[in-house]
Amino acid sequence: MNDTLYLVIPCYNEEAVLHETAKRLTKKITTMMENEIISTDSKILFVNDGSKDKTWNIIEELHNQNNIFSGINLSRNRGHQNALLAGLMTAKDLADVVISLDADLQDDVDVIDKFVEKYYEGSDIVYGVRSSRQTDTFFKRTTALAFYKLMNTLGVDMVYNHADYRLMSKQALESLSQFKEVNLFLRGMVPLIGYKHSIVEYERHERFAGESKYPLKKMLAFALDGITSLSIKPIRIITGLGFFIFVFSLIALLYSIIVKLFGETVTGWTSLTLSIWMIGGIQLLSLGVIGEYIGKMYNETKRRPRFIISEKLIDVMHLQNNRI
C-alpha cells in the first residue's frame, strides 16, 4: 500500500527554523517514497499564519525549488488551531492521510513511519504521545499535569501528553469537517470523532531555533478555551456552590433567630465583613464564568469564517488528478 501522505505544518514567524525543518522533512518523506511506503504524490504543506517575518517568502522559495512543498497563506494571523485546521481542510481534498506537526522540530520526525504503519494496520487516528517530560522545567511539567487532570475531571476526553502531533485518515478528516464551531480546541475535538485509534510514543526535543509561540499567558488562555469549549461542568459547579451558600444562609438565619430569642447579642462585625466579601467574590467569579460561555455563544452565532486563505501554492495537476 502506498497512499498519498500530506504533512501539515502551521507556521508563525518561523524563519529561523524553516529551512532546517524543510530539509529534515524532505529527507524523511523522500525515503518513505523510495521504500514505497507512501505515494510519490505525497507533499509537505506549510500554513503561514500571518507571520510578520519572512516565513511566507521562504515557503514560496521552497515551493519554487521543489514541488514536494506546498503552501497556503492566511489573510491574517488566526492562531495556531485555526491555522492547523486550514491546513487539514486543504489537505483533506488532496491526500489519503494527513499528519500534523509543529515547525519547530520539537516533534520527532523519525516516528512518522510508525504513524503510517499504524494507519495501514487500520487506525484512522494516531496520536503522538510524549514518552516523558524530563526536558521540561518543573513548573511546566507540574502545570501540564494539573491541566490534563483538570480537563479529565471536567469531563473532557483528551489523550494525556498529546499535543497536535497526530495522523488522521481522509475519513476522520471528513468527520472533523462536520464540526462547525468557531472556538477550536482540536485536542479535545478529535477524540469526539471516534473511529479506531492508536498511540505512537516519541521523545520531544528542544526547539531547534526561535522562541516559543506559547508563553504562559497564551497557555492559560488556551486552557480556558479548552475547558469552556468542551465542558459545561463549570456552570454546574456554580449551581452547586449557589445551592450550598443558600443552605448555609438558612442555617445562619436560624442561628440568628435563636440567638435573638434568648436575648444574646453578638457584634458579628468580622463574620459579617467576611461574608460580604466572600459572597461578593463568588458572585463576580460566577458572572465571569457565565460571561465566558455567553461570549463563546456570541462568537458561534455570528458564524464568521475561522480562516481566510489569501494565497495557495499547490500543484495544480495533482489537485486535478485527485478530483477526477
Side-chain angles (χ1 to χ4, degrees):
M1 291 181 283
N2 53 350
D3 288 350
T4 302
L5 169 68
Y6 263 59
L7 302 180
V8 172
I9 303 101
C11 305
Y12 178 67
N13 294 344
E14 297 288 1
E15 66 176 1
V17 72
L18 208 52
H19 279 110
E20 182 64 24
T21 301
K23 177 183 174 182
R24 296 190 190 183
L25 291 178
T26 302
K27 181 179 178 181
K28 168 56 65 176
I29 202 170
T30 301
T31 301
M32 294 175 71
M33 289 179 186
E34 291 172 349
N35 294 332
E36 298 185 349
I37 298 174
I38 57 176
S39 167
T40 54
D41 287 330
S42 300
K43 303 285 183 183
I44 299 168
L45 175 63
F46 291 111
V47 182
N48 181 42
D49 184 23
S51 298
K52 298 177 182 178
D53 61 5
K54 297 180 181 179
T55 295
W56 180 244
N57 294 333
I58 295 174
I59 294 172
E60 289 180 315
E61 174 190 324
L62 291 169
H63 174 72
N64 292 331
Q65 292 174 355
N66 189 341
N67 65 6
I68 199 173
F69 297 108
S70 295
I72 57 176
N73 188 26
L74 302 189
S75 59
R76 68 179 184 89
N77 178 253
R78 292 293 298 151
H80 179 271
Q81 297 292 281
N82 286 287
L84 177 54
L85 184 69
L88 293 176
M89 293 300 100
T90 300
K92 172 177 68 71
D93 300 322
L94 306 170
D96 299 304
V97 58
V98 174
I99 295 178
S100 59
L101 66 161
D102 291 338
D104 55 18
L105 293 176
Q106 288 189 282
D107 297 327
D108 185 5
V109 300
D110 290 329
V111 300
I112 290 177
D113 310 69
K114 295 182 180 179
F115 278 81
V116 177
E117 182 181 336
K118 294 289 186 182
Y119 164 71
Y120 285 141
E121 290 174 0
S123 295
D124 283 290
I125 301 172
V126 183
Y127 298 103
V129 174
R130 296 180 62 170
S131 55
S132 69
R133 284 187 171 269
Q134 297 303 316
T135 56
D136 287 350
T137 63
F138 173 78
F139 175 77
K140 187 171 183 179
R141 187 164 56 248
T142 304
T143 52
L145 177 63
F147 169 67
Y148 284 108
K149 285 187 175 181
L150 176 62
M151 296 295 280
N152 183 62
T153 302
L154 294 176
V156 179
D157 184 17
M158 284 180 60
V159 178
Y160 181 67
N161 271 346
H162 164 71
D164 287 299
Y165 192 16
R166 73 176 71 86
L167 174 148
M168 298 183 72
S169 68
K170 182 183 284 290
Q171 181 183 20
L173 288 170
E174 290 288 355
S175 298
L176 180 63
S177 68
Q178 297 177 38
F179 287 69
K180 301 300 183 183
E181 56 254 54
V182 174
N183 301 289
L184 296 178
F185 188 72
L186 294 174
R187 300 180 195 183
M189 290 168 59
V190 172
L192 296 176
I193 295 173
Y195 298 137
K196 182 179 178 181
H197 66 272
S198 55
I199 287 174
V200 169
E201 291 191 345
Y202 71 99
E203 184 177 348
R204 191 166 173 83
H205 307 302
E206 297 288 341
R207 283 185 63 91
F208 179 80
E211 299 179 351
S212 172
K213 305 304 184 296
Y214 269 94
L216 179 61
K217 183 179 179 180
K218 281 192 175 182
M219 288 177 64
L220 292 174
F222 186 61
L224 181 62
D225 279 341
I227 292 170
T228 53
S229 295
L230 294 164
S231 175
I232 61 169
K233 280 196 175 181
I235 296 289
R236 291 176 177 171
I237 291 173
I238 288 175
T239 302
L241 186 61
F243 179 77
F244 171 78
I245 293 175
F246 173 70
V247 172
F248 181 79
S249 67
L250 291 179
I251 296 173
L253 176 63
L254 181 63
Y255 171 77
S256 300
I257 293 173
I258 294 173
V259 169
K260 182 68 175 179
L261 290 175
F262 282 90
E264 297 181 13
T265 58
V266 181
T267 56
W269 172 257
T270 303
S271 60
L272 178 62
T273 303
L274 289 175
S275 298
I276 291 173
W277 279 98
M278 182 185 71
I279 295 174
I282 291 173
Q283 287 176 331
L284 290 174
L285 177 63
S286 301
L287 286 173
V289 173
I290 295 170
E292 185 70 25
Y293 280 94
I294 293 174
K296 279 189 164 44
M297 291 168 58
Y298 172 67
N299 287 331
E300 294 290 344
T301 55
K302 288 186 291 186
R303 309 306 298 169
R304 289 177 177 171
R306 293 172 288 191
F307 54 84
I308 296 174
I309 299 174
S310 62
E311 197 172 349
K312 289 185 179 182
L313 301 174
I314 294 177
D315 187 341
V316 177
M317 289 300 297
H318 176 57
L319 177 60
Q320 291 175 342
N321 291 337
N322 274 271
R323 288 178 173 172
I324 293 176

